[in-house]
Amino acid sequence: MTRAQAGVDYVAWCLHGQCRAHESRPEVSGVPRMADSCRRIAEKLSFDTDDKLDGRLLRLGTGRLIRTVLATARGAVYCEQVVPGSYLVGVTIGLPGDQPAGRELAYRADEAIADRVEHFRDQIHGRRYDLGSWHSEHMREELRATPIRPRTSEEDFGDSVPSGLPATVTGRTGHPAVPVARDAVRAQDLQLVALFDESGPAFCVDVLHDPRVAERIRHDQRPSAAQRRGWYQELGAELPDYLLELAKTARGAIGGPLIRAVLDVEDGAVYYRRLDASRYVVGLTVFQEQVFPAERRVDAMMDAWPA
C-alpha cells in the first residue's frame, strides 16, 4: 500500500467496490467523518467504474475506462485502474480558491496516483496504461531538452502535426462560443468540443472526419463521422446523470458543485466542464498519448469562453 504523498490526502485500494486498505493524512483523519466520506466515494467510484461507466464507454470503440477524475473548487478524487476490478483511489481536499492554482495541484496529485498504478502494473508485467498521458508528457519534456531529437511518429508526439481537415460545426453555428471551440479543436489532440444546455446539444465542433482520428476507433460497424458524433452527443447528454450520483457521494469529502470530470479510456478521454447549473461543455481526444495536452487545451478554451 502506498503512503499518501504530495497533494494526496487520502489513498485507498479498492477491490470490486470494497475498500481493502487505506491511509490518510492528519488533515483527513483529524476531521470528524472525513475519512469515512473519502472511503465511501472511493468504494462508489471504483464500483461504478466497472458496473456503470465502463460498459457505456466500451460501445464507443476506444477501450475500457481506466481512470476517472471528479473535481470541485475545494477538492478532487482520482480513481485509477490497476487491473479490472482493482483500483487505487486518491482524494485531495482543501484546494485553494484560485482555480488555476487548484487545478495545478490537482493535476500533480492525479499524476502521483497514476505513477503508483504504473509501478504496480510493472510489478505484474502489465503494459503501461499511460494514465493521463503522464508518461508521454515526460517523454516530450525529455525530447524538448535534447539538442538532436530522434524521429518520432505523429501519434507519439503531435506538437508539430498540421491541424488537418477543417472542423465540422453542427447545431447552433452562430453561437458566440463557436469561434472559441473552433480554435481549440484540432486533429492531433482535442478532436471534439460540444456545448450542452437545458435543451440538449447546443452545438458541436469536431474533426471526427479526419482519417487520423477515424483510424483510432475500434468498432466492427466502421461508423461514419456523423454516427460517431451522434454517439458522443448521446454520451454527453447522459453525463450529468452519471456524474450527479457520484458527486452526491463525493460531496462530504470534496464539497461541490462538481466543476470538472475526466473519463480516461484506453485510447483517449472524455472531458466535462460545468459552466453553470444548466450548461456544460464536453471535450474529446481519441489519442491516449495526448490526454494531458488535450486537457490543457480544454483549460485554455474554458478560460477564453464567452460569458
Side-chain angles (χ1 to χ4, degrees):
M1 185 67 185
T2 182
R3 296 184 65 185
Q5 49 194 294
V8 183
D9 299 301
Y10 174 93
V11 62
W13 170 52
C14 294
L15 185 64
H16 302 301
Q18 296 294 317
C19 180
R20 296 301 179 91
H22 65 96
E23 295 176 350
S24 59
R25 291 185 181 278
E27 292 88 337
V28 172
S29 55
V31 178
R33 295 186 294 278
M34 177 63 78
D36 287 341
S37 295
C38 290
R39 179 185 54 78
R40 281 195 295 273
I41 184 55
E43 292 183 335
K44 174 69 173 173
L45 191 50
S46 62
F47 178 80
D48 278 13
T49 295
D50 276 343
D51 186 60
K52 294 183 178 180
L53 297 173
D54 189 48
R56 183 65 183 87
L57 291 163
L58 271 172
R59 292 159 54 189
L60 301 174
T62 48
R64 299 200 63 159
L65 180 61
I66 56 176
R67 166 176 161 263
T68 303
V69 180
L70 305 175
T72 69
R74 196 181 94 185
V77 182
Y78 328 96
C79 178
E80 316 201 359
Q81 184 188 91
V82 181
V83 294
S86 175
Y87 294 87
L88 197 63
V89 182
V91 181
T92 297
I93 63 173
L95 290 176
D98 177 72
Q99 178 58 22
R103 194 166 57 203
E104 293 304 314
L105 287 174
Y107 282 149
R108 299 287 73 81
D110 193 357
E111 183 180 2
I113 295 295
D115 282 346
R116 299 310 301 162
V117 170
E118 298 289 19
H119 172 72
F120 294 148
R121 287 189 59 78
D122 286 343
Q123 290 184 321
I124 63 174
H125 306 292
R127 67 174 177 84
R128 280 185 172 266
Y129 279 145
D130 199 9
L131 290 155
S133 80
W134 307 118
H135 179 65
S136 291
E137 187 68 13
H138 291 315
M139 291 180 68
R140 274 188 284 268
E141 291 171 359
E142 292 171 5
L143 286 172
R144 292 188 186 104
T146 304
I148 301 176
R149 297 184 183 184
R151 186 174 181 179
T152 58
S153 68
E154 68 181 36
E155 286 82 7
D156 289 332
F157 307 105
D159 293 350
S160 61
V161 181
S163 295
L165 300 174
T168 297
V169 183
T170 55
R172 303 209 297 267
T173 58
H175 193 284
V178 165
V180 176
R182 187 188 282 116
D183 287 344
V185 168
R186 58 183 187 174
Q188 60 263 47
D189 40 38
L190 184 61
Q191 291 97 29
L192 178 148
V193 168
L195 170 68
F196 293 79
D197 58 23
E198 62 278 354
S199 62
F203 69 77
C204 181
V205 179
D206 69 79
V207 288
L208 296 178
H209 53 290
D210 190 291
R212 292 171 293 180
V213 178
E215 70 184 11
R216 283 296 180 102
I217 307 299
R218 301 181 304 221
H219 206 286
D220 295 338
Q221 296 181 16
R222 296 184 180 274
S224 66
Q227 285 176 304
R228 283 180 282 128
R229 183 179 305 116
W231 291 347
Y232 281 108
Q233 288 180 337
E234 288 176 10
L235 175 66
E238 295 169 352
L239 269 181
D241 290 337
Y242 287 127
L243 297 177
L244 180 61
E245 185 179 357
L246 293 172
K248 286 180 179 178
T249 306
R251 186 175 293 271
I254 62 173
L258 187 69
I259 60 174
R260 168 178 164 255
V262 181
L263 303 178
D264 186 350
V265 293
E266 291 176 283
D267 289 325
V270 176
Y271 310 99
Y272 166 92
R273 293 292 190 277
R274 181 184 188 269
L275 290 171
D276 54 39
S278 61
R279 298 181 304 146
Y280 60 96
V281 174
V282 171
L284 165 74
T285 184
V286 297
F287 297 143
Q288 185 61 25
E289 62 277 6
Q290 297 295 338
V291 167
F292 187 56
E295 185 156 19
R296 287 293 201 190
R297 291 189 72 80
V298 172
D299 291 339
M301 177 185 68
M302 299 311 299
D303 289 341
W305 200 268

